[in-house]
Amino acid sequence: MSTKSADIDDGVIPTDSDLVPTPPSHRTFSAWDMASLWVGLVVGVPSYYLAGSLVDLGMAWWQGIATVVLANFIVLIPLVLTAIPGTKHGIPFPVLARSAFGVRGAHVPTLLRALVGCGWYGIETWIGGEAVFLLLPPSLKTSSSALSPIPWLGTSPLEFSCFMVFWLAQMGIVWRGMEGIRELEKYSAPILSVLTSCLLCWAYVKAGGFGRMLSLSSRLSSAEEFWSIFFPSLTANISFWATLALNIPDFARYARSQKDQILGQAGLPVFMGIFTFVGLAVTASTEVIFGRVISDPIQLLGRIGGLWTTLIAIFGVSLATITTNIAANVVAPANALVNLSPSMFTFRRGALVTALLGIAFQPWRLLSSSESFVYTWLLGYSALMGPIGGIILADYYLIKGMNLEVSALYSKNPRGPYYYFQGFNIAAMVALLVGILPIIPGFLHKVGILSNTSDALVMAYNNAWFVSFFLSGILYWLLCQLGSRKDARHTETLIPASE
């Protein structure tokens, strides 16, 4: 389909926008490219943190790995289903969202996804800044003046400077656009695989095998205690990739075929399972090697020793962080801003705003503790991602029957099929709100604003993604069915009058 159709020319975006359907000549991502994307996403410090947190909460090593693998099998389903229209029609997430939410209403889900992406961008950049910090001379790293926190900022001048150095380094890659991101992911995947294997071999040799890890048993004394940890942990692991489960069309639109995007993504549970094993094995080995558990991989790399070893390790952390950050946390916010105002934003400008908002999130505060990272950040934003995913999938597969008028997705014509009521689909907006509301009391209780709330609402929060995904998806389908019946009855009453 030509991107220069009249509907598109007169519609929401110009023909040279980054959101027009990807032409066949530009759909070059193979299954290997898609798999490389996921390797680059998986191999990173946050994934390492997440794996270790499950054991810290009392799970046995095998329970932690099983939880991660199960969560990624579950999230793989919406990932593939949401990618299908992206590959079929060559459209990104903001355009796909117009089908369910309306040509103007789509700004709501895309900006919510963008907001979470900006937070993640800041977190990943802070982690990269910690790697830069390790390269500094010891005299500078021990300077009290450089390390004294600035009260209003919440961190030290030196740490903030390292954060900004890494921030600037990433922008150099982002500025090249999607092709630069693709090349980075393609060539970084084998490098990251080798470096991860080297880290695992180092831990195995130094600790004398994996006996320590394999001897770690569960500290959860009863089945009730286990399940109380398992379900929020499962939800947290799902929400880890719930963001990508929404905007995966931003990448799948470049896939050569549905087979390529499905095969490329099918390895996600395997990649996460392997990297979780590495994270748990290396973390457990540190108790034998150093006499205490070091769960922070940045601190661990700083203690391995040797200039060249440190340089290679820092290169690995930096590469892992950049590949995850750019693909997962830049593309969606940048496209959301292009969708919001195509005359003001290009992909590059959107990426710059994303990076600036990442600073405003003050990620050093979000990473103040593992509990705030997993049970406040991950669980909290899953209540936003879940209902959006449920509505979009219900709309595409149950309401639209996998058929979209692509040109109409770019049209401002009030009579267009995706204009709904003044550009907003009220059914989608109501379903989105209803999906979020039951999670709010549990979130407020978790952050200490509400002192008490019911067990049912706490349970809803601990399973936020599941509750919001199915509640919004089912409600949206019901509202659309009711709307269709009303339209049918209205049409029937008009037919006799016209005769």
Side-chain angles (χ1 to χ4, degrees):
M1 186 190 112
S2 172
T3 61
K4 294 187 180 295
S5 69
D7 284 323
I8 293 180
D9 287 340
D10 298 333
V12 178
I13 61 174
T15 54
D16 61 348
S17 167
D18 292 301
L19 298 186
V20 295
T22 305
S25 60
H26 291 175
R27 300 184 190 185
T28 57
F29 278 28
S30 64
W32 170 248
D33 289 325
M34 294 297 293
S36 298
L37 171 71
W38 280 109
V39 171
L41 289 167
V42 165
V43 180
V45 175
S47 302
Y48 191 106
Y49 277 144
L50 193 59
S53 69
L54 301 183
V55 174
D56 289 339
L57 290 168
M59 287 188 179
W61 67 273
W62 63 269
Q63 291 172 330
I65 292 175
T67 301
V68 170
V69 172
L70 176 60
N72 282 272
F73 268 117
I74 293 172
V75 81
L76 181 63
I77 297 171
L79 261 169
V80 170
L81 291 177
T82 310
I84 286 173
T87 301
K88 179 179 179 180
H89 304 291
I91 55 176
F93 166 61
V95 176
L96 176 62
R98 295 173 188 174
S99 171
F101 289 88
V103 293
R104 292 176 177 164
H107 295 318
V108 175
T110 54
L111 289 176
L112 287 175
R113 167 63 182 94
L115 191 65
V116 174
C118 292
W120 265 118
Y121 187 91
I123 289 173
E124 293 274 7
T125 305
W126 179 256
I127 290 169
E130 289 182 322
V132 174
F133 181 82
L134 287 180
L135 293 174
L136 299 177
S139 59
L140 189 58
K141 289 189 288 187
T142 56
S143 170
S144 58
S145 59
L147 292 174
S148 298
I150 302 173
W152 61 269
L153 185 60
T155 186
S156 70
L158 184 59
E159 290 172 310
F160 185 76
S161 298
C162 293
F163 168 70
M164 289 307 301
V165 167
F166 197 81
W167 186 92
L168 290 169
Q170 287 181 115
M171 286 308 300
I173 298 172
V174 172
W175 215 246
R176 293 186 60 194
M178 282 298 300
E179 188 59 31
I181 294 172
R182 178 197 175 195
E183 291 300 313
L184 175 70
E185 301 290 350
K186 181 178 180 179
Y187 294 110
S188 66
I191 296 173
L192 290 174
S193 299
V194 170
L195 292 176
T196 301
S197 300
C198 290
L199 180 62
L200 184 63
C201 291
W202 171 85
Y204 182 88
V205 172
K206 286 288 186 178
F210 297 133
R212 171 60 185 166
M213 187 195 79
L214 298 177
S215 67
L216 288 174
S217 59
S218 174
R219 301 193 306 275
L220 306 175
S221 57
S222 64
E224 182 180 355
E225 192 176 358
F226 170 77
W227 292 118
S228 68
I229 294 294
F230 171 77
F231 285 110
S233 298
L234 182 71
T235 305
N237 275 274
I238 289 174
S239 65
F240 196 74
W241 296 124
T243 50
L244 264 294
L246 289 184
N247 74 289
I248 191 64
D250 293 339
F251 302 96
R253 65 191 288 214
Y254 296 100
R256 296 184 304 190
S257 66
Q258 297 290 1
K259 180 180 178 181
D260 282 304
Q261 72 91 356
I262 293 172
L263 288 178
Q265 297 197 88
L268 172 61
V270 178
F271 301 150
M272 278 297 289
I274 292 173
F275 193 68
T276 299
F277 174 82
V278 172
L280 294 178
V282 174
T283 298
S285 71
T286 58
E287 186 172 13
V288 177
I289 300 169
F290 299 107
R292 64 183 182 90
V293 174
I294 303 176
S295 58
D296 186 340
I298 304 293
Q299 292 183 13
L300 172 61
L301 293 173
R303 296 196 59 177
I304 288 179
L307 176 60
W308 284 106
T309 303
T310 301
L311 289 174
I312 293 172
I314 297 306
F315 169 74
V317 170
S318 300
L319 185 61
T321 302
I322 290 174
T323 54
T324 302
N325 209 16
I326 292 176
N329 307 317
V330 171
V331 177
N335 283 342
L337 291 171
V338 173
N339 185 49
L340 179 65
S341 179
S343 62
M344 182 181 297
F345 291 104
T346 61
F347 180 86
R348 287 179 175 179
R349 290 177 184 174
L352 179 59
V353 172
T354 300
L356 291 171
L357 288 175
I359 301 173
F361 262 86
Q362 300 184 63
W364 46 92
R365 299 186 192 275
L366 292 176
L367 290 174
S368 59
S369 70
S370 59
E371 184 173 350
S372 65
F373 171 62
V374 175
Y375 292 112
T376 301
W377 171 243
L378 289 178
L379 283 183
Y381 78 65
S382 71
L384 302 177
M385 302 298 99
I388 297 171
I391 291 167
I392 287 177
L393 291 182
D395 179 78
Y396 184 71
Y397 289 96
L398 302 181
I399 306 302
K400 302 298 193 299
M402 300 178 67
N403 293 311
L404 296 176
E405 295 181 35
V406 176
S407 60
L409 290 169
Y410 295 89
S411 175
K412 287 182 178 178
N413 187 343
R415 294 186 299 274
Y418 309 118
Y419 197 81
Y420 300 106
F421 177 73
Q422 296 184 357
F424 293 84
N425 186 355
I426 303 302
M429 296 302 171
V430 170
L432 176 63
L433 183 62
V434 171
I436 295 172
L437 283 177
I439 313 302
I440 293 176
F443 175 77
L444 295 178
H445 175 68
K446 190 68 181 178
V447 299
I449 296 176
L450 280 181
S451 57
N452 292 298
T453 190
S454 68
D455 291 341
L457 291 175
V458 171
M459 184 178 296
Y461 178 72
N462 288 339
N463 298 275
W465 185 86
F466 290 99
V467 172
S468 60
F469 179 91
F470 287 105
L471 181 58
S472 291
I474 293 171
L475 178 60
Y476 175 74
W477 178 78
L478 290 173
L479 291 174
C480 289
Q481 293 297 105
L482 290 173
S484 298
R485 290 175 184 174
K486 287 181 180 179
D487 290 342
R489 285 198 298 267
H490 181 65
T491 302
E492 288 173 2
T493 58
L494 290 177
I495 290 175
S498 64
E499 291 176 345

